[in-house]
Amino acid sequence: RRRRQSGLDLPVVRPEPFAGRRVEADDGLRMPEDDLPLAGNFEALLCLGGCCEKTGRWEAGLAHYRQALAIRPGAAEALSNLGGLLSQMKRPAEALDALDQAIAAAPQRAEAWLNRGKALNDMGRCEEALQSHERALTLQPGSVEAWYSIFGGRTAASRGDRMVQATPAARAAIRTTSRRIRMQGLSQPN
């Protein structure tokens, strides 16, 4: 199909959906780090680590988080992000180490507790995972991810006969999370 605009005959271009798609180094896509001076810029490195994480460039994300930690050793946000990414990459022992450091630096950081629970769950340490998820929920009562982890996720399933009945609020949170995951195509990359 073509459309006319200002006397020009232009092709109709429909962008491809990006969410959930892994970006490989040879995709020809430019990432922000191609144009930014990063030396000593903690915030930019954290942001780029997150960008790489969201686009599936996990090794580059790890490198950016580690560079940020070289600038500010012990920074809770960088440690939490690093631990979360390592957990996504199915490296739970490394993730747990980073997340324990993040929690030691900032015990009120709910995201670190949530990611710690995910890493512990991947290691088969379900009771500890449950405690971490409950701590995340205590710190951030509106956290859909924490509700889902406790009542609808693998932690709940692995507890067997100790499964707690989800409250109506938890069931609503689980439905919301499941719907959001489906809509955004946030399935785990292989």
Side-chain angles (χ1 to χ4, degrees):
R1 297 179 62 202
R2 299 182 89 68
R3 66 179 171 175
R4 294 196 56 82
Q5 180 181 5
S6 305
L8 298 174
D9 190 22
L10 301 172
V12 174
V13 178
R14 302 211 191 288
E16 290 184 30
F18 190 72
R21 182 170 84 83
R22 288 186 63 124
V23 177
E24 301 300 330
D26 60 357
D27 275 358
L29 295 174
R30 289 177 54 81
M31 290 300 288
E33 70 260 30
D34 296 335
D35 299 321
L36 294 175
L38 299 177
N41 193 333
F42 177 80
E43 288 79 13
L45 288 165
L46 272 185
C47 182
L48 289 171
C51 241
C52 290
E53 182 177 347
K54 297 289 186 235
T55 57
R57 297 181 63 209
W58 290 353
E59 291 299 330
L62 286 179
H64 289 308
Y65 291 145
R66 287 183 173 136
Q67 288 172 13
L69 285 165
I71 295 167
R72 288 192 198 157
E77 184 177 4
L79 285 164
S80 179
N81 292 351
L82 176 66
L85 180 53
L86 287 165
S87 184
Q88 271 186 286
M89 295 173 73
K90 303 298 182 207
R91 293 162 60 178
E94 292 174 77
L96 188 58
D97 182 49
L99 293 163
D100 283 343
Q101 290 178 51
I103 289 167
Q108 299 304 110
R109 188 171 184 81
E111 180 185 341
W113 285 100
L114 182 64
N115 287 334
R116 183 179 189 272
K118 291 175 186 176
L120 287 165
N121 210 17
D122 287 343
M123 297 171 78
R125 295 165 57 183
C126 298
E127 287 300 319
E128 293 173 84
L130 176 61
Q131 291 170 3
S132 290
H133 288 138
E134 287 174 342
R135 178 69 176 143
L137 193 57
T138 301
L139 294 170
Q140 193 174 9
S143 170
V144 174
E145 289 81 7
W147 278 110
Y148 185 80
S149 295
I150 291 171
F151 291 109
R154 291 178 294 169
T155 302
S158 63
R159 288 184 304 187
D161 61 343
R162 294 190 57 226
M163 175 63 183
V164 178
Q165 291 298 315
T167 64
R171 284 194 298 270
I174 291 165
R175 281 193 302 274
T176 302
T177 300
S178 298
R179 190 176 317 119
R180 189 183 72 202
I181 289 170
R182 282 193 309 273
M183 288 174 61
Q184 294 179 353
L186 296 176
S187 60
Q188 288 283 335
N190 292 333

